[in-house]
Amino acid sequence: MRIRGAVLERIGAQAPFTESRPISVCDLELAEPGPGELLVRIEAAGLCHSDLSVVDGNRVRPVPMLLGHEAAGRVEAVGSGDSDIAVGQRVVMTFLPRCGDCAGCRSEGRMPCVPGSVANNEGVLLNGGSRLRRDGERVHHHLGVSAFATHAVVDRRSVVPVDDDVPPEVAAVLGCAVLTGGGALLNSAKPGPNDRVMVVGLGGVGMAAVLVAVSLGVPEVIAVDTVPEKLASARELGATAAYTPAEVTEKGVQAEVVVEAAGNVRAFETAVGATAAGGTTVTVGLPAPDARASISPLALVAQGRSIVGSYLGSAVPSRDIPAYVRLWRAGELPVERLVSAHIGLDQINRAMDELATGHALRQVIVFD
Ligand SMILES: [Zn+2]
Ligand SMILES: [Zn+2]
């Protein structure tokens, strides 16, 4: 079928993207879903820093690539064979498929799925190959999802079904920001009842971590970012204190659990430095592959501190997304408050600029 989608043409374009225009919105040919795959009409797709990391070349991926990995939509067709998913079902996309049968999948979320990671690096679906063509030329999938488009073909193992009462934009944000930011706390750090929680880096993932910390009833939730508007937003979402990184160092602010969600070395060092004795730093950001940080091994030993890496919040999406839905339904996780703008597909380059300057929280592309 013919679809319309946002294709990244080349890696490493310079901002402003409204001028360099690395992404074109164009018509593509989408193949039928194969066995174990689904055709999904996209309803909402969030712009995440990981999309920007492909555009600016921090994460090198094959191009041309149809971007977008945080999304929700309705199933329009099911590939051949038995499926537990019916046409009409609303689904949340998740950006790392789980084959269910490898060492990573057997680690209860602690490690990424091995074939899922390989497929993501190659820009193909879990069963191999691309379902996207443009003028006969292959276009790669982004993280098995490619949701900046009117429709997507995805593997069943890349989605989690949700009920119709979960609005598309809420469902979308659950799939990356909340799964990652929430998982950093619920799966990786597991804060105790008296632990303070600090979040360094207030993008979508960091803000989601703030929301989840507030929903857990954490007594002190400390938000850290360089952008003053983001500190104000974090307070509105329930953070009990908000600081710039410089203030954290100056005042010696500490927490037992510190989540690093900025994806750069200075934020990582700030997070490690602000972790209290006996505490845990959880790092979920994705810095450039050649980035190196400086930390004191002795301080880790002498103060009994830990540093934990957490990809996708060490989540098992089929287990964790229903849990977040229950919290959302109970009014304890107002995920819709993370959405700062609704945009059209054609505004994608401008939206990447907004993301790059650090002023946007979650911009969501909506389709009619
Ligand atoms: Zn993401
Ligand atoms: Zn696996």
Side-chain angles (χ1 to χ4, degrees):
M1 69 183 291
R2 295 296 277 176
I3 64 164
R4 199 155 173 76
V7 176
L8 177 67
E9 308 287 357
R10 59 185 190 283
I11 300 278
Q14 296 293 312
F17 304 122
T18 39
E19 281 166 28
S20 57
R21 305 196 74 79
I23 305 171
S24 30
V25 177
C26 54
D27 290 341
L28 298 99
E29 194 63 35
L30 181 66
E32 307 262 299
E37 294 174 353
L38 309 167
L39 170 66
V40 180
R41 178 172 58 79
I42 306 297
E43 297 176 293
L47 260 78
C48 167
H49 213 272
S50 307
D51 297 300
L52 179 62
S53 298
V54 184
V55 175
D56 67 17
N58 253 325
R59 297 285 279 180
V60 177
R61 304 273 183 201
V63 288
M65 174 174 274
L66 203 164
L67 292 178
H69 63 278
E70 179 185 274
R74 266 193 207 281
V75 174
E76 282 202 341
V78 178
S80 63
D82 287 341
S83 182
D84 62 330
I85 301 270
V87 169
Q89 174 72 53
R90 180 167 286 151
V91 292
V92 177
M93 310 288 200
T94 64
F95 65 85
L96 178 66
R98 287 217 163 258
C99 76
D101 196 31
C102 71
C105 286
R106 282 190 291 272
S107 74
E108 294 274 301
R110 195 167 48 79
M111 292 192 297
C113 168
V114 179
S117 302
V118 170
N120 280 1
N121 284 333
E122 292 176 354
V124 299
L125 295 189
L126 190 54
N127 282 340
S130 172
R131 309 292 173 267
L132 293 161
R133 292 277 182 286
R134 183 176 55 180
D135 303 328
E137 178 204 23
R138 168 205 190 108
V139 172
H140 296 86
H141 293 263
H142 187 210
L143 304 177
V145 177
S146 288
F148 293 164
T150 52
H151 295 78
V153 165
V154 295
D155 196 284
R156 162 67 183 91
R157 293 164 289 182
S158 289
V159 307
V160 175
V162 289
D163 288 340
D164 279 354
D165 66 323
V166 185
E169 65 183 31
V170 168
V173 174
L174 291 180
C176 174
V178 176
L179 210 54
T180 306
L185 291 173
L186 295 175
N187 296 324
S188 302
K190 300 191 174 78
N194 299 315
D195 285 350
R196 295 166 290 181
V197 169
M198 180 187 293
V199 179
V200 180
L202 302 173
V205 169
M207 285 293 191
V210 167
L211 268 189
V212 170
V214 171
S215 80
L216 291 174
V218 167
E220 283 184 55
V221 180
I222 304 157
V224 179
D225 201 284
T226 52
V227 180
E229 298 97 297
K230 292 207 165 170
L231 299 180
S233 305
R235 283 181 181 277
E236 283 165 23
L237 294 179
T240 54
Y243 300 104
T244 63
E247 288 170 335
V248 168
T249 311
E250 256 166 51
K251 298 176 198 280
V253 183
Q254 291 199 315
E256 283 68 33
V257 169
V258 183
V259 176
E260 180 283 312
N264 67 64
V265 169
R266 290 186 60 190
F268 175 75
E269 290 173 346
T270 298
V272 173
T275 305
T280 304
T281 316
V282 183
T283 180
V284 299
L286 294 166
D290 57 353
R292 294 292 179 273
S294 172
I295 53 170
S296 157
L298 177 64
L300 295 183
V301 177
Q303 299 176 9
R305 291 194 272 131
S306 310
I307 301 175
V308 178
S310 172
Y311 188 70
L312 216 185
S314 305
V316 177
S318 58
R319 173 196 71 196
D320 296 359
I321 286 178
Y324 294 124
V325 167
R326 284 192 292 275
L327 280 173
W328 172 81
R329 216 173 256 142
E332 289 169 26
L333 195 64
V335 171
E336 54 279 350
R337 293 178 66 187
L338 296 174
V339 177
S340 58
H342 295 100
I343 62 165
L345 192 58
D346 291 317
Q347 293 162 279
I348 185 88
N349 284 301
R350 176 175 302 282
M352 286 292 169
D353 281 329
E354 289 283 318
L355 196 55
T357 55
H359 289 276
L361 200 49
R362 247 335 179 237
Q363 307 172 85
V364 174
I365 302 172
V366 285
F367 300 84
D368 8 83

